[in-house]
Amino acid sequence: MGNLSIRKLKISLIVCIILLVSWLIYIVYLLQKEPIETTVKQVINRTTDEKDSHSSKPFGYDKTSQKIDKSTQENIRIDNVAQGNISREIVPESSALQKDASLNQTKIATFDENKIKVPNINRENFHSTFGRKVVLIYFSHNRESFLPYFKERTPPESAYHSKLNVSLIGQRLGKTLKQNGIWNKVSNMDIIKILNERNLNFDSSYQMSREIVINEMRMNRDLKMAFDIHRDALPRNLSTTNINGQSFAKISFVIGKEHEHYKENLEFVNDINGLVEKEYPGLSRGIIVKDKKQGNGVYNQDLLPNSVIIEVGGVENNLEELYRTADVLGNVISQYYWENIH
């Protein structure tokens, strides 16, 4: 009888161990499982019907080529960048921040994000932050958008939209990071809406986004990196490159030097930029260091040493190019995290 009882006890113990291991495997599966992604078409279809408010050719805009011509330079700030590159920041029309410009629904309908081939991800070793959101992705100028999806004769300074904007790039970046095991938070705060509600102007954008970063740091002790995603206003010939027969939106990194710890940010960005140049030569336009004379000068980077503005593409890039670049960024940032921070 005694041996039988011991045998039953051993069997029960083995069963319990098997159930426990199965439960742990299931938990890991749930943590790694991707949520259902919202497609661009679903996002845009939630917008209300819009009227085309641009019935005549706007000042400073070439209808045929949809390029920024010389007369538009009055609305553009140009910053010198390493190796002779430039960055252009357009002052948006106030009306564009109050009401969305009309979209080209045909262009939106033909875009299929599932057809974009994601670059290979190194899966030799299993990595995961297991639910710890170590990256924040946010958007100080969240309504910055892209001319290919607006109706003809929409000027660059009107290329702003509450749905189709740089937040789509951030969502794609967040998805790629998670595929690499890096859990993250992509902000859904509409900075422009908050500015309008508080009766503040566009220059207060970084003041509003600062609240996003501070709140995330208070709530999330695991936060290690923060990326503020923008798009440049450069024309297509300066914001696009071809790599292995595919078109990519170029990127640049912006660092503010008007705080005492900016060299930590710069060191972080130098490493990220170096990985981009090594894996995808020509994709990066380099690192732009700005003081208060050239812009905000801080860009909330005093809050976290591993933080930076990333300008992804220009006003004339399309979503295929932007998503390819977001995938590259996701892989590079993941590589940096697992090799240097984890």
Side-chain angles (χ1 to χ4, degrees):
M1 290 294 293
N3 290 336
L4 182 61
S5 298
I6 293 173
R7 191 179 300 114
K8 288 182 177 179
L9 182 62
K10 288 182 177 178
I11 293 173
S12 298
L13 183 60
I14 291 171
V15 171
C16 289
I17 292 173
I18 292 173
L19 289 174
L20 179 61
V21 171
S22 300
W23 180 78
L24 289 173
I25 292 173
Y26 180 66
I27 292 298
V28 171
Y29 167 76
L30 289 178
L31 288 173
Q32 287 297 107
K33 188 177 181 181
E34 283 291 324
I36 298 174
E37 297 293 328
T38 303
T39 66
V40 173
K41 294 173 188 176
Q42 289 172 327
V43 171
I44 302 308
N45 287 339
R46 288 201 292 265
T47 59
T48 56
D49 292 335
E50 301 163 307
K51 294 181 180 179
D52 186 4
S53 59
H54 304 285
S55 58
S56 60
K57 183 176 179 180
F59 178 76
Y61 186 69
D62 179 359
K63 171 184 174 181
T64 304
S65 63
Q66 291 201 348
K67 305 291 185 189
I68 304 168
D69 67 23
K70 292 182 179 180
S71 60
T72 310
Q73 298 298 325
E74 296 177 8
N75 293 324
I76 296 176
R77 182 166 65 249
I78 301 180
D79 302 306
N80 292 324
V81 187
Q83 301 176 346
N85 293 323
I86 58 174
S87 178
R88 291 174 176 172
E89 185 175 340
I90 287 180
V91 178
E93 286 185 351
S94 58
S95 60
L97 302 180
Q98 300 292 331
K99 181 181 179 181
D100 292 337
S102 297
L103 295 175
N104 184 331
Q105 296 296 334
T106 302
K107 286 286 186 70
I108 295 167
T110 58
F111 173 65
D112 185 356
E113 59 194 281
N114 295 318
K115 291 184 178 179
I116 300 173
K117 185 178 179 181
V118 180
N120 291 330
I121 299 172
N122 183 4
R123 296 186 183 276
E124 292 180 2
N125 299 313
F126 174 77
H127 290 301
S128 179
T129 61
F130 294 104
R132 294 182 297 107
K133 296 182 178 180
V134 299
V135 173
L136 171 66
I137 300 169
Y138 68 105
F139 318 93
S140 293
H141 295 163
N142 67 290
R143 294 194 184 185
E144 290 179 329
S145 191
F146 309 94
L147 284 175
Y149 302 99
F150 289 86
K151 292 190 174 181
E152 285 189 357
R153 301 193 303 188
T154 300
E157 56 268 26
S158 292
Y160 293 82
H161 200 274
S162 61
K163 297 290 190 297
L164 197 156
N165 53 48
V166 291
S167 67
L168 296 174
I169 305 172
Q171 291 169 18
R172 181 78 177 197
L173 173 59
K175 179 180 178 180
T176 305
L177 287 171
K178 195 173 180 183
Q179 288 174 338
N180 281 279
I182 296 180
W183 284 62
N184 56 87
K185 179 176 180 179
V186 182
S187 174
N188 61 2
M189 297 294 292
D190 187 344
I191 297 293
I192 300 302
K193 181 180 179 181
I194 296 173
L195 290 174
N196 290 337
E197 290 173 348
R198 299 188 186 183
N199 210 19
L200 297 172
N201 59 32
F202 190 70
D203 291 337
S204 299
S205 297
Y206 290 103
Q207 176 186 335
M208 296 299 97
S209 61
R210 189 175 185 85
E211 295 181 13
I212 295 174
V213 181
I214 290 175
N215 287 336
E216 185 65 19
M217 292 178 69
R218 286 173 178 168
M219 297 171 59
N220 179 10
R221 298 292 182 180
D222 296 315
L223 186 63
K224 301 297 182 184
M225 296 184 285
F227 301 100
D228 187 1
I229 306 299
H230 293 243
R231 67 105 171 98
D232 210 302
L234 288 171
R236 182 175 178 80
N237 65 311
L238 296 177
S239 68
T240 315
T241 188
N242 188 287
I243 301 174
N244 297 327
Q246 288 189 316
S247 186
F248 287 76
K250 287 188 175 184
I251 58 174
S252 60
F253 302 93
V254 180
I255 290 290
K257 63 182 295 186
E258 295 289 352
H259 63 97
E260 58 180 333
H261 301 298
Y262 92 92
K263 290 186 178 179
E264 296 177 49
N265 300 108
L266 187 57
E267 183 178 351
F268 164 67
V269 175
N270 270 325
D271 290 341
I272 297 290
N273 187 59
L275 288 173
V276 172
E277 291 184 333
K278 178 181 177 182
E279 300 295 332
Y280 289 82
L283 184 63
S284 174
R285 297 193 298 108
I287 301 170
I288 307 170
V289 179
K290 291 187 176 183
D291 56 25
K292 286 185 177 179
K293 294 179 181 179
Q294 298 167 298
N296 176 275
V298 178
Y299 305 110
N300 303 321
Q301 294 163 8
D302 58 323
L303 299 174
L304 195 69
N306 297 331
S307 58
V308 64
I309 285 177
I310 306 181
E311 301 267 7
V312 183
V315 71
E316 297 181 13
N317 284 109
N318 60 49
L319 287 171
E320 287 89 348
E321 296 159 343
L322 297 161
Y323 275 27
R324 290 189 192 107
T325 299
D327 290 339
V328 169
L329 277 172
N331 285 350
V332 167
I333 292 168
S334 299
Q335 180 182 342
Y336 177 86
Y337 177 82
W338 293 121
E339 291 179 356
N340 297 277
I341 297 181
H342 176 65

